[in-house]
Amino acid sequence: MTRVRIARAASDEVNNPTSQVVRFGADRPLALDSGGALAPFQIAYQTYGTLNAQKTNAVMICHALTGDQHVANTNPVTGKDGWWDVLIGPGLIIDTDRFFVICSNVIGGCLGSTGPASTNPATGKPYALGLPVITIRDMVRAQAMLVDHLGIEQLFSVVGGSMGGMQVLEWASSYPDRVFTALPIATGARHSSQNIAFHEVGRQAVMADPDWLGGRYIEAGKRPTKGLAVARMAAHITYLSEAALHRKFGRNLQDRDALTFGFDADFQIESYLRHQGATFVDRFDANSYLYMTRAMDYFDLAADHGGRLADAFAGTKTRFCVVSFTSDWLFPTAESRDIVHALNAAGASVSFVEIETDRGHDAFLLDEPELFSAIRGFLRSAARARGLEQ
Amino acid sequence: MNAMTEPSSGSPRGDLAVVAGFIRPGARVLDVGCGDGHLLELLQGEKQVDGRGIEISQRGVNECVSRGLSVIQGDADTDLVYYPDKGFDYVVLSQTLQATRNPKLVLTDLLRIGERAIVSIPNFGHWRMRLDLLLRGRMPVTEELPYSWYDTPNIHFCTIRDFVNLVDEIGAKVESATALNGKGEKIGVSMPWWFWNFFGQQAVFLLRR
């Protein structure tokens, strides 16, 4: 698809998505951590497979910062494959022939759930920064309303990586009886100072773009693409690892035999990052990027429980499988280990695997056989325990 | 972990059957140094236990998890502190105590976390060990303990008698004990300690606070 068509498709999805949509009216507001409430609001979501008669086979997939609900189908905006279609589908690890898979766009997102680009019914204009700041817990509270709407009491599993993993932890903490198994991958129970720092760089880049216009760029028919591209470029580096970058690009030059002694993209890595930035801005709303990064920054599960992370999981019966990657420096293994220790202290059933890879944080989205065999084994034994036979 | 048997894998170890014999059905069990999860699988299959494991090698952990066992990567020396008091009915430490940096602390932690601890150890007091030192003047290397002194993970060997003394020192009780020969077969039913200490190649202890 051309870039213009992608941008148009993305903006079409904001209010009237091609996904299924559940709309909650003024009588069913979403309570927000900031103190207020959001009403009316809508959640766009995709489902795969069939809910069984006992409603025990539902799996909730939580997407990451710039992900969306199109986890296992062709993305209507980009035309690309679903972002986790290596994992989810008929006969795959999360087998849609056996499980009923749900994935919703988070609140604050830009692909059909209410977010800053959505039209505020009170004004007829986009919310922009008029939308209250959204937290991870707000996102999960909204997802719980969706699960209620689908008539599901308990999810067989909640699965997600990175920001999705934060939602998984929040689900298990806020709704322990509604989560049979939890699979937080490449995540942490709080956003570290370094991670907040990277997010702040991204936000400042967006807000420094003259086309951002205090957030009201949609009404003005503009988009702060330059700032958002820089934000994406900086963030993208944190998703990879030095080893992976060096393996892929080294110091190779881009379409040239010698340095140009100028500031064009001489190196392949520069060209690659520029491409990552350019393609991102077509599909993603800049204000939504501000809201998503803020939600991650505010996440601190221990702080919500008197500073003791174990108390977030007190008495839990949920089975956990925590996964980290050796080369992930955005959410290093130590952060997963903190979660595991807290779960140990809470007496929870927990498995913990660290996957050896040089592909960095993004490894969770890639074809990692060891990750897949761990998830398969964990879910298979949990399915037996839940009476979901193979 | 399972530092004793790491290099040779094959038939189920005899001490595991004895360990399993100590555990009552349906109990909560933590297996410290669970290796590839053999004991946990045995216990889940035969005793319907609620089993968890800690294993130091990531490969062992990934193998366990992919087989559906609830296992985390961790080290007996550093990670037992994260477990709450009396969280388990039994904590098992199978052929691993001799590889820990602080066996006394580990043993104390086992009995803090579990109502009972089941510990199996290789016996350095076995007559062949004594003979090796006495006649050859060399550190013993046997089929069961195949490492040389410079590459062994087993840094804190003890004899059966030494172990019984340590249990006494931390104020715990031996509820039951069994000595095994090299094939994992029980030696006698109720022999005096000196006999086991001379002829037992390994021993399994059921301890309580």
Side-chain angles (χ1 to χ4, degrees):
Chain A
M1 280 198 237
T2 66
R3 292 191 49 188
V4 175
R5 276 175 59 197
I6 290 176
R8 194 180 306 127
S11 82
D12 286 349
E13 291 286 322
V14 170
N15 288 309
N16 297 298
T18 45
S19 300
Q20 301 174 74
V21 178
V22 54
R23 293 185 172 82
F24 295 98
D27 55 325
R28 299 196 58 195
L30 174 66
L32 300 175
D33 280 352
S34 61
L38 184 62
F41 74 101
Q42 69 180 39
I43 300 173
Y45 65 101
Q46 293 289 111
T47 66
Y48 312 85
T50 313
L51 187 63
N52 65 12
Q54 302 79 33
K55 301 186 175 183
T56 53
N57 68 335
V59 174
M60 170 70 83
I61 307 293
C62 301
H63 71 71
L65 183 73
T66 64
D68 52 46
Q69 66 273 34
H70 300 286
V71 60
N73 57 267
T74 302
N75 192 292
V77 173
T78 62
K80 290 184 177 168
D81 293 340
W83 55 269
W84 230 353
D85 72 346
V86 289
L87 185 74
I88 301 165
L92 297 184
I93 311 289
I94 297 179
D95 186 352
T96 50
D97 290 336
R98 300 179 50 222
F99 295 116
F100 177 62
V101 175
I102 309 160
C103 186
S104 67
N105 189 213
V106 296
I107 294 297
C110 53
L111 229 63
S113 292
T114 300
S118 307
T119 303
N120 180 351
T123 64
K125 294 175 181 170
Y127 277 102
L129 298 196
L131 186 79
V133 164
I134 302 294
T135 66
I136 298 290
R137 188 153 58 175
D138 294 334
M139 295 173 183
V140 169
R141 209 179 281 122
Q143 286 163 9
M145 291 172 76
L146 168 63
V147 172
D148 286 339
H149 166 77
L150 296 171
I152 297 162
E153 182 51 40
Q154 187 192 53
L155 295 163
F156 169 68
S157 194
V158 185
V159 186
S162 197
M163 186 181 90
M166 289 177 167
Q167 294 164 62
V168 172
L169 295 173
E170 186 64 60
W171 258 105
S173 176
S174 291
Y175 304 98
D177 298 335
R178 304 193 70 174
V179 181
F180 190 71
T181 67
L183 250 162
I185 302 171
T187 193
R190 63 189 177 123
H191 218 214
S192 71
S193 184
Q194 178 171 271
N195 290 356
I196 295 170
F198 277 113
H199 275 176
E200 176 60 2
V201 170
R203 284 189 294 265
Q204 288 301 327
V206 169
M207 294 190 283
D209 188 318
D211 286 343
W212 183 62
L213 300 170
R216 306 229 67 102
Y217 50 87
I218 294 176
E219 294 154 72
K222 298 194 167 179
R223 288 188 302 137
T225 54
K226 288 199 170 66
L228 184 59
V230 171
R232 178 62 169 180
M233 288 166 76
H236 198 81
I237 301 166
T238 69
Y239 304 151
L240 306 171
S241 72
E242 190 191 9
L245 282 178
H246 197 77
R247 176 165 47 77
K248 211 165 164 182
F249 305 108
R251 289 181 53 82
N252 301 338
L253 300 181
Q254 178 70 28
D255 303 329
R256 64 202 67 192
D257 301 323
L259 301 176
T260 60
F261 291 92
F263 298 98
D264 195 14
D266 276 356
F267 294 101
Q268 278 181 9
I269 178 62
E270 296 173 299
S271 167
Y272 170 77
L273 278 184
R274 288 183 187 191
H275 173 75
Q276 290 297 328
T279 52
F280 178 65
V281 299
D282 299 328
R283 70 174 179 88
F284 210 83
D285 174 56
N287 283 338
S288 196
Y289 193 79
L290 303 183
Y291 279 84
M292 295 294 98
T293 54
R294 208 67 183 136
M296 288 182 79
D297 292 351
Y298 277 10
F299 188 63
D300 185 348
L301 198 50
D304 295 340
H305 294 84
R308 193 164 177 272
L309 186 56
D311 289 349
F313 305 110
T316 184
K317 290 192 173 57
T318 302
R319 296 159 172 244
F320 290 82
C321 181
V322 179
V323 182
S324 71
F325 300 94
T326 51
S327 54
D328 184 350
W329 57 281
L330 196 61
F331 289 98
T333 290
E335 305 221 3
S336 284
R337 212 176 279 283
D338 286 345
I339 297 167
V340 170
H341 290 157
L343 288 167
N344 284 155
S349 167
V350 53
S351 292
F352 167 46
V353 294
E354 182 189 34
I355 310 291
E356 175 93 36
T357 174
D358 76 349
R359 303 206 271 191
H361 181 62
D362 265 356
F364 84 89
L365 295 166
L366 304 174
D367 185 3
E368 285 284 348
E370 261 195 285
L371 169 70
F372 291 175
S373 81
I375 296 178
R376 185 193 288 118
F378 172 72
L379 289 182
R380 187 177 285 167
S381 112
R384 270 197 303 272
R386 190 72 182 93
L388 298 168
E389 288 313 316
Q390 302 285 321
Chain B
M1 276 188 214
N2 282 332
M4 179 177 161
T5 51
E6 193 72 83
S8 61
S9 63
S11 58
R13 283 181 356 216
D15 63 313
L16 296 186
V18 178
V19 170
F22 284 140
I23 291 173
R24 67 175 153 72
R28 289 167 304 161
V29 179
L30 176 65
D31 186 359
V32 182
C34 63
D36 62 4
H38 186 79
L39 176 66
L40 281 173
E41 240 172 13
L42 185 80
L43 291 173
Q44 283 186 354
E46 292 182 7
K47 301 267 178 144
Q48 292 77 49
V49 301
D50 176 4
R52 317 276 170 78
I54 305 178
E55 168 56 32
I56 198 163
S57 92
Q58 193 57 58
R59 235 175 102 190
V61 175
N62 295 11
E63 165 76 23
C64 286
V65 174
S66 66
R67 278 156 59 194
L69 299 168
S70 178
V71 172
I72 66 167
Q73 197 275 330
D75 184 333
D77 273 306
T78 54
D79 292 332
L80 293 178
V81 294
Y82 299 105
Y83 287 86
D85 298 355
K86 301 180 187 177
F88 292 89
D89 298 312
Y90 301 91
V91 181
V92 179
L93 189 73
S94 171
Q95 304 289 356
T96 298
L97 189 68
Q98 76 283 356
T100 62
R101 280 192 298 281
N102 194 335
K104 186 177 176 182
L105 200 66
V106 168
L107 197 59
T108 309
D109 256 341
L110 297 183
L111 284 160
R112 175 184 64 78
I113 299 165
E115 286 291 335
R116 287 180 170 75
I118 300 171
V119 180
S120 74
I121 57 160
N123 175 28
F124 220 67
H126 184 256
W127 64 268
R128 269 177 46 200
M129 303 283 189
R130 302 189 196 195
L131 211 59
D132 259 17
L133 265 172
L134 187 69
L135 298 183
R136 293 176 62 226
R138 301 282 307 272
M139 286 299 283
V141 176
T142 65
E143 202 174 306
E144 292 78 23
L145 299 168
Y147 299 97
S148 296
W149 65 272
Y150 49 82
D151 64 4
T152 181
N154 300 318
I155 52 176
H156 280 122
F157 273 126
C158 66
T159 69
I160 289 178
R161 211 185 270 269
D162 287 331
F163 182 77
V164 173
N165 284 348
L166 176 62
V167 171
D168 211 37
E169 204 175 303
I170 66 168
K173 304 265 184 306
V174 177
E175 237 176 37
S176 182
T178 303
L180 307 173
N181 65 19
K183 293 176 189 156
E185 297 159 348
K186 292 185 189 182
I187 303 176
V189 182
S190 174
M191 292 298 189
W193 286 124
W194 72 262
F195 184 86
W196 277 357
N197 201 26
F198 202 74
F199 293 106
Q201 283 191 311
Q202 44 181 325
V204 187
F205 296 86
L206 175 65
L207 313 172
R208 67 176 165 78
R209 273 166 286 191

